[in-house]
Amino acid sequence: MSHDNQQTIYRTTPARTGKMMAIMLGICIVGGVIFFAMWDYWISEAPPVVAMMAGDKDLAAPAAQTGKTITQDLVFVESSDFRTLAFNALPGEPDNNPTINMNVGDKIVFNVDNAGKSFHAFGVTKDTEGFGGLIPGSEVASPSNPLKPGESGTAEFIAGEEGTYYYICTVPGHREQGMVGEIIVGPSQGGGSQAAAAPTGVSHDFTLDFVESSDFRTLAFNALPGEDGHNPEIRVNSGDEVTVTSDNLGKSFHAFGVVTNPEDFNSIVMDSAIASASNPLKPGEGGSVTFTAGAPGTYYYICTVPGHALQGMQGSFIVE
């Protein structure tokens, strides 16, 4: 004779569930206390992506550009079996991976064309192997978005120090198959549009503080758009002494420099940097720099942390 068991079996109880929730809440509270207690530690270093983009040395930002421009045409070529890759011509042929000679402060304009049947990308690095360490501004396309057959692009490179650099195909493995050439950078020859101007004896002092909107979408100097003092235009004469003082009034990291191109945080001129993208001013910190205004022209003062100039931290710096 059998009997149906109608007893309900509970896998847990309300009391046990309550204890589990209390334990989880306690872990969250303790974790939060530890996180905020160590807030100074969390903000003591710049975000890793900033250091990665800026690098340890500013190899592409000489203090004095010479004004000399070199134009170099480079074509991606491939052997019929695709085992050998190169620029302009295959090994043993004229103009294979041409060596480029330049001096500190000279600029190279690369015109790059994909004449092969595969995908390619371009960049300049000081690394002796691999496809990393690319100098910002020198890239054409990327391994994740390469040049397709028949496509082309343009990039620029200004060396900030002597040594051997390499132009490469940045698609993994292509450098090892032969797509690499040398750039030999010698000492600066002086002169050019950024050569030191004769001192005028006139001095200027400017205050340019870093400010941010509450949602961090808008960045600026001194005041946000629509407010008095927003990104003031600076005008000085060539040879004037300029002192800039900057305080970081925001909650992010910032750095300062006068540049020739507001979209290139590596184009700093006149020894005008305060801190750097890889070693920026932390919230509440400040700094100053004194330099001599160079050749007449329109320049820009920006936050040199990547992306911040595009968010609004830039103004005109005009030398007359």
Side-chain angles (χ1 to χ4, degrees):
M1 182 175 181
S2 63
H3 298 278
D4 292 334
N5 188 350
Q6 301 296 326
Q7 183 179 2
T8 301
I9 299 176
Y10 293 95
R11 295 184 180 276
T12 186
T13 65
R16 292 179 65 186
T17 301
K19 289 180 180 179
M20 180 181 67
M21 296 298 293
I23 291 172
M24 293 177 64
L25 179 61
I27 292 173
C28 292
I29 292 173
V30 172
V33 170
I34 294 174
F35 177 83
F36 288 105
M38 299 181 67
W39 182 253
D40 287 341
Y41 171 77
W42 304 129
I43 67 171
S44 63
E45 295 293 339
V49 67
V50 169
M52 178 184 68
M53 292 179 68
D56 294 331
K57 293 184 178 181
D58 192 358
L59 301 177
Q65 298 180 32
T66 64
K68 179 180 179 181
T69 299
I70 302 168
T71 300
Q72 178 67 56
D73 296 331
L74 293 172
V75 179
F76 296 101
V77 295
E78 308 154 358
S79 63
S80 57
D81 60 4
F82 198 70
R83 293 184 179 181
T84 303
L85 311 178
F87 288 100
N88 289 5
L90 294 175
E93 300 175 357
D95 203 31
N96 164 250
N97 296 345
T99 297
I100 302 170
N101 291 283
M102 62 184 295
N103 297 102
V104 171
D106 293 349
K107 177 169 70 175
I108 302 177
V109 176
F110 291 103
N111 297 317
V112 181
D113 181 38
N114 185 358
K117 296 181 180 180
S118 183
F119 298 97
H120 299 291
F122 179 86
V124 175
T125 180
K126 211 171 185 186
D127 292 354
T128 56
E129 58 184 18
F131 53 90
L134 299 182
I135 294 173
S138 70
E139 308 100 324
V140 176
S142 67
S144 59
N145 186 27
L147 293 177
K148 301 177 181 64
E151 292 185 339
S152 59
T154 301
E156 296 181 354
F157 167 65
I158 304 172
E161 64 176 28
E162 298 176 51
T164 301
Y165 299 76
Y166 305 90
Y167 61 87
I168 65 172
C169 177
T170 59
V171 172
H174 286 194
R175 176 178 185 169
E176 288 72 19
Q177 287 181 266
M179 277 185 172
V180 54
E182 292 188 345
I183 304 172
I184 309 298
V185 180
S188 174
Q189 299 300 302
S193 61
Q194 294 306 313
T200 62
V202 177
S203 298
H204 305 272
D205 292 286
F206 299 101
T207 298
L208 297 169
D209 294 331
F210 303 97
V211 296
E212 309 160 358
S213 62
S214 58
D215 60 4
F216 196 69
R217 292 183 179 181
T218 303
L219 311 179
F221 286 98
N222 290 359
L224 294 175
E227 301 176 353
D228 291 339
H230 166 69
N231 292 351
E233 179 183 272
I234 294 177
R235 286 182 177 271
V236 298
N237 291 318
S238 178
D240 288 357
E241 182 182 81
V242 179
T243 298
V244 174
T245 301
S246 295
D247 288 325
N248 185 355
L249 305 182
K251 296 181 179 179
S252 184
F253 300 92
H254 299 293
F256 176 89
V258 176
V259 298
T260 57
N261 179 1
E263 297 182 2
D264 181 2
F265 58 88
N266 276 323
S267 62
I268 299 172
V269 292
M270 307 180 211
D271 288 328
S272 58
I274 299 175
S276 66
S278 58
N279 186 27
L281 296 176
K282 301 178 181 66
E285 291 185 339
S288 65
V289 63
T290 299
F291 58 93
T292 300
T298 298
Y299 306 87
Y300 306 87
Y301 62 86
I302 68 169
C303 176
T304 57
V305 172
H308 287 191
L310 299 179
Q311 287 182 264
M313 274 183 173
Q314 62 172 286
S316 296
F317 188 95
I318 299 173
V319 180
E320 300 174 328

